[in-house]
Amino acid sequence: MQKHIDRQKFPKKYVPYLSKYKLLKPINVNEKFSKFIKQWHPHQIAVVDDMQVLLAKLQGEFVWHDHPEIDEVFFVINGVLDIEFRDGKVTLESGEMFVIPKGVEHRPVAKNECKMMIKSSNHLGIFPTSRCDVSQWRVPLKTALRL
């Protein structure tokens, strides 16, 4: 049974989703991963308040960097991800999550392809990476691939 959705009750940022899909529905993460192959390039699948929910495929080493203004959340969907710190590392396996506090320098490393979800603040207008010049990661949020 379908329920009527009163568009006036939703914030404007959700209206495009309502008009495109008619009804709100679950997001199939596996289906979204099947739509792209490029690694180290985040793909937006949702917006939650001021947070952007991104999917990414990673393999190899990223550069050392930090995020002085925001915390960063890594959730491994499939694979293994090492998050290196200057004084150690954390290893995440499928189904595990880790929060990197703002200002902490780190480097993600995946020996084999790792599929992950990232939550990032929307307020900076770009995926916020500081102290590094990595153009493929600094994707304007308005032009990030929306799956």
mmCIF file of all heavy atoms in Angstrom, residues 1 12 25 27 32 36 42-43 46 52 67 74 78 81 92 94 103 106 108 112 126-128 133 139 144:
data_model
loop_
_atom_site.group_PDB
_atom_site.id
_atom_site.type_symbol
_atom_site.label_atom_id
_atom_site.label_comp_id
_atom_site.label_asym_id
_atom_site.label_seq_id
_atom_site.Cartn_x
_atom_site.Cartn_y
_atom_site.Cartn_z
ATOM 1 N N MET A 1 0.842 -1.174 0.000
ATOM 2 C CA MET A 1 0.000 0.000 0.000
ATOM 3 C C MET A 1 0.890 1.242 0.000
ATOM 4 O O MET A 1 1.738 1.410 0.870
ATOM 5 C CB MET A 1 -0.891 -0.033 1.229
ATOM 6 C CG MET A 1 -1.767 1.171 1.382
ATOM 7 S SD MET A 1 -2.774 0.996 2.865
ATOM 8 C CE MET A 1 -3.992 2.172 2.509
ATOM 9 N N LYS A 12 13.420 21.471 0.988
ATOM 10 C CA LYS A 12 13.608 21.588 -0.457
ATOM 11 C C LYS A 12 14.676 20.643 -1.002
ATOM 12 O O LYS A 12 14.582 20.175 -2.123
ATOM 13 C CB LYS A 12 13.960 23.025 -0.834
ATOM 14 C CG LYS A 12 12.783 23.938 -0.792
ATOM 15 C CD LYS A 12 13.157 25.311 -1.316
ATOM 16 C CE LYS A 12 11.932 26.200 -1.310
ATOM 17 N NZ LYS A 12 12.202 27.505 -1.882
ATOM 18 N N LYS A 25 12.532 5.347 -1.114
ATOM 19 C CA LYS A 25 12.734 3.907 -1.093
ATOM 20 C C LYS A 25 14.134 3.600 -0.588
ATOM 21 O O LYS A 25 15.004 4.472 -0.596
ATOM 22 C CB LYS A 25 12.503 3.305 -2.475
ATOM 23 C CG LYS A 25 13.455 3.792 -3.544
ATOM 24 C CD LYS A 25 13.125 3.156 -4.878
ATOM 25 C CE LYS A 25 14.137 3.549 -5.922
ATOM 26 N NZ LYS A 25 13.911 2.872 -7.190
ATOM 27 N N ILE A 27 17.985 2.373 -0.390
ATOM 28 C CA ILE A 27 19.106 2.467 -1.317
ATOM 29 C C ILE A 27 19.849 1.139 -1.277
ATOM 30 O O ILE A 27 20.292 0.708 -0.217
ATOM 31 C CB ILE A 27 20.048 3.621 -0.919
ATOM 32 C CG1 ILE A 27 19.305 4.948 -1.019
ATOM 33 C CG2 ILE A 27 21.298 3.622 -1.787
ATOM 34 C CD1 ILE A 27 20.053 6.121 -0.403
ATOM 35 N N LYS A 32 24.506 0.243 -6.263
ATOM 36 C CA LYS A 32 25.230 1.502 -6.496
ATOM 37 C C LYS A 32 26.701 1.230 -6.808
ATOM 38 O O LYS A 32 27.277 1.863 -7.689
ATOM 39 C CB LYS A 32 25.107 2.439 -5.296
ATOM 40 C CG LYS A 32 23.695 2.850 -4.957
ATOM 41 C CD LYS A 32 23.031 3.599 -6.081
ATOM 42 C CE LYS A 32 21.647 4.061 -5.681
ATOM 43 N NZ LYS A 32 20.928 4.675 -6.789
ATOM 44 N N PHE A 36 29.850 1.941 -10.919
ATOM 45 C CA PHE A 36 31.112 2.641 -11.186
ATOM 46 C C PHE A 36 32.297 1.724 -10.942
ATOM 47 O O PHE A 36 32.205 0.755 -10.198
ATOM 48 C CB PHE A 36 31.223 3.932 -10.355
ATOM 49 C CG PHE A 36 31.351 3.735 -8.870
ATOM 50 C CD1 PHE A 36 32.602 3.711 -8.269
ATOM 51 C CD2 PHE A 36 30.234 3.604 -8.066
ATOM 52 C CE1 PHE A 36 32.741 3.547 -6.906
ATOM 53 C CE2 PHE A 36 30.351 3.445 -6.691
ATOM 54 C CZ PHE A 36 31.610 3.417 -6.111
ATOM 55 N N PRO A 42 34.857 9.520 -4.833
ATOM 56 C CA PRO A 42 33.612 9.315 -4.085
ATOM 57 C C PRO A 42 32.372 9.563 -4.928
ATOM 58 O O PRO A 42 32.372 10.410 -5.810
ATOM 59 C CB PRO A 42 33.717 10.347 -2.957
ATOM 60 C CG PRO A 42 34.583 11.418 -3.521
ATOM 61 C CD PRO A 42 35.554 10.739 -4.441
ATOM 62 N N HIS A 43 31.324 8.811 -4.639
ATOM 63 C CA HIS A 43 30.044 8.929 -5.337
ATOM 64 C C HIS A 43 28.951 9.141 -4.296
ATOM 65 O O HIS A 43 28.778 8.315 -3.403
ATOM 66 C CB HIS A 43 29.760 7.664 -6.139
ATOM 67 C CG HIS A 43 30.794 7.389 -7.185
ATOM 68 N ND1 HIS A 43 30.704 7.867 -8.464
ATOM 69 C CD2 HIS A 43 31.959 6.712 -7.123
ATOM 70 C CE1 HIS A 43 31.747 7.482 -9.160
ATOM 71 N NE2 HIS A 43 32.531 6.782 -8.364
ATOM 72 N N ALA A 46 23.441 9.780 -0.919
ATOM 73 C CA ALA A 46 22.406 10.398 -0.089
ATOM 74 C C ALA A 46 22.973 11.620 0.626
ATOM 75 O O ALA A 46 24.189 11.793 0.715
ATOM 76 C CB ALA A 46 21.884 9.389 0.942
ATOM 77 N N GLN A 52 27.045 14.356 3.840
ATOM 78 C CA GLN A 52 26.944 13.686 2.556
ATOM 79 C C GLN A 52 27.368 12.230 2.752
ATOM 80 O O GLN A 52 28.399 11.958 3.362
ATOM 81 C CB GLN A 52 27.864 14.393 1.572
ATOM 82 C CG GLN A 52 27.725 13.915 0.165
ATOM 83 C CD GLN A 52 28.702 14.615 -0.749
ATOM 84 O OE1 GLN A 52 29.848 14.627 -0.472
ATOM 85 N NE2 GLN A 52 28.275 15.188 -1.821
ATOM 86 N N HIS A 67 41.840 16.569 8.119
ATOM 87 C CA HIS A 67 40.647 17.381 7.905
ATOM 88 C C HIS A 67 40.506 18.262 9.147
ATOM 89 O O HIS A 67 39.960 17.818 10.152
ATOM 90 C CB HIS A 67 39.409 16.490 7.730
ATOM 91 C CG HIS A 67 39.578 15.452 6.663
ATOM 92 N ND1 HIS A 67 39.379 15.712 5.332
ATOM 93 C CD2 HIS A 67 39.969 14.154 6.737
ATOM 94 C CE1 HIS A 67 39.622 14.616 4.632
ATOM 95 N NE2 HIS A 67 39.982 13.658 5.458
ATOM 96 N N PHE A 74 34.745 6.260 8.311
ATOM 97 C CA PHE A 74 34.986 5.203 7.329
ATOM 98 C C PHE A 74 34.192 3.978 7.758
ATOM 99 O O PHE A 74 34.306 3.527 8.897
ATOM 100 C CB PHE A 74 36.462 4.808 7.296
ATOM 101 C CG PHE A 74 37.364 5.796 6.625
ATOM 102 C CD1 PHE A 74 37.998 6.771 7.365
ATOM 103 C CD2 PHE A 74 37.599 5.736 5.263
ATOM 104 C CE1 PHE A 74 38.852 7.679 6.759
ATOM 105 C CE2 PHE A 74 38.448 6.642 4.640
ATOM 106 C CZ PHE A 74 39.078 7.613 5.398
ATOM 107 N N ASN A 78 33.091 -3.952 2.084
ATOM 108 C CA ASN A 78 33.689 -5.192 1.610
ATOM 109 C C ASN A 78 35.188 -4.977 1.452
ATOM 110 O O ASN A 78 35.609 -3.995 0.856
ATOM 111 C CB ASN A 78 33.062 -5.579 0.260
ATOM 112 C CG ASN A 78 33.475 -6.948 -0.199
ATOM 113 O OD1 ASN A 78 34.661 -7.259 -0.253
ATOM 114 N ND2 ASN A 78 32.509 -7.773 -0.546
ATOM 115 N N LEU A 81 40.726 -2.380 4.962
ATOM 116 C CA LEU A 81 41.314 -1.054 4.839
ATOM 117 C C LEU A 81 42.206 -0.787 6.041
ATOM 118 O O LEU A 81 41.770 -0.948 7.183
ATOM 119 C CB LEU A 81 40.224 0.021 4.769
ATOM 120 C CG LEU A 81 40.710 1.469 4.698
ATOM 121 C CD1 LEU A 81 41.346 1.748 3.340
ATOM 122 C CD2 LEU A 81 39.575 2.438 4.961
ATOM 123 N N LEU A 92 40.604 -2.110 9.369
ATOM 124 C CA LEU A 92 39.158 -2.316 9.336
ATOM 125 C C LEU A 92 38.837 -3.418 8.345
ATOM 126 O O LEU A 92 39.359 -3.436 7.228
ATOM 127 C CB LEU A 92 38.438 -1.037 8.899
ATOM 128 C CG LEU A 92 38.653 0.213 9.731
ATOM 129 C CD1 LEU A 92 37.932 1.391 9.091
ATOM 130 C CD2 LEU A 92 38.177 -0.007 11.141
ATOM 131 N N SER A 94 35.473 -5.950 6.645
ATOM 132 C CA SER A 94 34.069 -5.805 6.251
ATOM 133 C C SER A 94 33.162 -5.694 7.467
ATOM 134 O O SER A 94 33.285 -6.472 8.412
ATOM 135 C CB SER A 94 33.629 -7.001 5.410
ATOM 136 O OG SER A 94 34.383 -7.068 4.228
ATOM 137 N N GLY A 103 41.471 16.954 12.429
ATOM 138 C CA GLY A 103 42.849 17.361 12.665
ATOM 139 C C GLY A 103 43.854 16.234 12.784
ATOM 140 O O GLY A 103 45.048 16.495 12.893
ATOM 141 N N HIS A 106 46.278 11.217 8.657
ATOM 142 C CA HIS A 106 46.085 9.793 8.371
ATOM 143 C C HIS A 106 46.277 9.526 6.885
ATOM 144 O O HIS A 106 46.315 10.438 6.067
ATOM 145 C CB HIS A 106 44.698 9.327 8.818
ATOM 146 C CG HIS A 106 43.570 10.058 8.139
ATOM 147 N ND1 HIS A 106 43.213 11.347 8.475
ATOM 148 C CD2 HIS A 106 42.743 9.689 7.139
ATOM 149 C CE1 HIS A 106 42.205 11.732 7.716
ATOM 150 N NE2 HIS A 106 41.895 10.743 6.885
ATOM 151 N N PRO A 108 44.746 6.409 4.209
ATOM 152 C CA PRO A 108 44.081 5.139 3.934
ATOM 153 C C PRO A 108 44.912 4.298 2.957
ATOM 154 O O PRO A 108 45.466 4.827 1.995
ATOM 155 C CB PRO A 108 42.761 5.550 3.275
ATOM 156 C CG PRO A 108 42.618 7.011 3.521
ATOM 157 C CD PRO A 108 43.988 7.553 3.707
ATOM 158 N N ASN A 112 44.133 -4.678 -1.516
ATOM 159 C CA ASN A 112 43.205 -5.140 -2.550
ATOM 160 C C ASN A 112 42.019 -4.184 -2.555
ATOM 161 O O ASN A 112 41.835 -3.407 -1.624
ATOM 162 C CB ASN A 112 42.738 -6.567 -2.261
ATOM 163 C CG ASN A 112 43.899 -7.543 -2.256
ATOM 164 O OD1 ASN A 112 44.645 -7.634 -3.217
ATOM 165 N ND2 ASN A 112 44.071 -8.253 -1.150
ATOM 166 N N ILE A 126 33.154 21.179 -0.797
ATOM 167 C CA ILE A 126 34.004 20.202 -1.474
ATOM 168 C C ILE A 126 34.237 19.073 -0.507
ATOM 169 O O ILE A 126 34.035 19.207 0.686
ATOM 170 C CB ILE A 126 35.382 20.794 -1.880
ATOM 171 C CG1 ILE A 126 36.113 21.329 -0.651
ATOM 172 C CG2 ILE A 126 35.246 21.833 -2.957
ATOM 173 C CD1 ILE A 126 37.555 21.702 -0.918
ATOM 174 N N PHE A 127 34.656 17.942 -1.029
ATOM 175 C CA PHE A 127 35.081 16.884 -0.108
ATOM 176 C C PHE A 127 36.360 17.397 0.527
ATOM 177 O O PHE A 127 37.346 17.645 -0.150
ATOM 178 C CB PHE A 127 35.318 15.561 -0.844
ATOM 179 C CG PHE A 127 35.533 14.433 0.101
ATOM 180 C CD1 PHE A 127 34.463 13.803 0.686
ATOM 181 C CD2 PHE A 127 36.815 14.036 0.445
ATOM 182 C CE1 PHE A 127 34.657 12.770 1.583
ATOM 183 C CE2 PHE A 127 37.015 13.009 1.347
ATOM 184 C CZ PHE A 127 35.933 12.380 1.911
ATOM 185 N N PRO A 128 36.352 17.648 1.836
ATOM 186 C CA PRO A 128 37.395 18.455 2.464
ATOM 187 C C PRO A 128 38.692 17.722 2.771
ATOM 188 O O PRO A 128 38.803 17.028 3.757
ATOM 189 C CB PRO A 128 36.713 18.909 3.754
ATOM 190 C CG PRO A 128 35.746 17.818 4.062
ATOM 191 C CD PRO A 128 35.306 17.246 2.748
ATOM 192 N N ASP A 133 47.183 17.959 -2.543
ATOM 193 C CA ASP A 133 46.566 18.405 -3.782
ATOM 194 C C ASP A 133 46.179 17.187 -4.598
ATOM 195 O O ASP A 133 46.926 16.712 -5.431
ATOM 196 C CB ASP A 133 47.528 19.304 -4.559
ATOM 197 C CG ASP A 133 46.891 19.868 -5.809
ATOM 198 O OD1 ASP A 133 45.643 19.907 -5.868
ATOM 199 O OD2 ASP A 133 47.644 20.255 -6.714
ATOM 200 N N VAL A 139 36.240 16.795 -5.080
ATOM 201 C CA VAL A 139 35.141 16.882 -6.031
ATOM 202 C C VAL A 139 34.089 17.849 -5.490
ATOM 203 O O VAL A 139 33.620 17.670 -4.370
ATOM 204 C CB VAL A 139 34.491 15.489 -6.229
ATOM 205 C CG1 VAL A 139 33.306 15.564 -7.143
ATOM 206 C CG2 VAL A 139 35.533 14.509 -6.735
ATOM 207 N N ALA A 144 29.494 16.123 -7.861
ATOM 208 C CA ALA A 144 29.878 14.740 -7.571
ATOM 209 C C ALA A 144 28.855 13.802 -8.217
ATOM 210 O O ALA A 144 27.678 14.107 -8.306
ATOM 211 C CB ALA A 144 29.914 14.499 -6.061
#
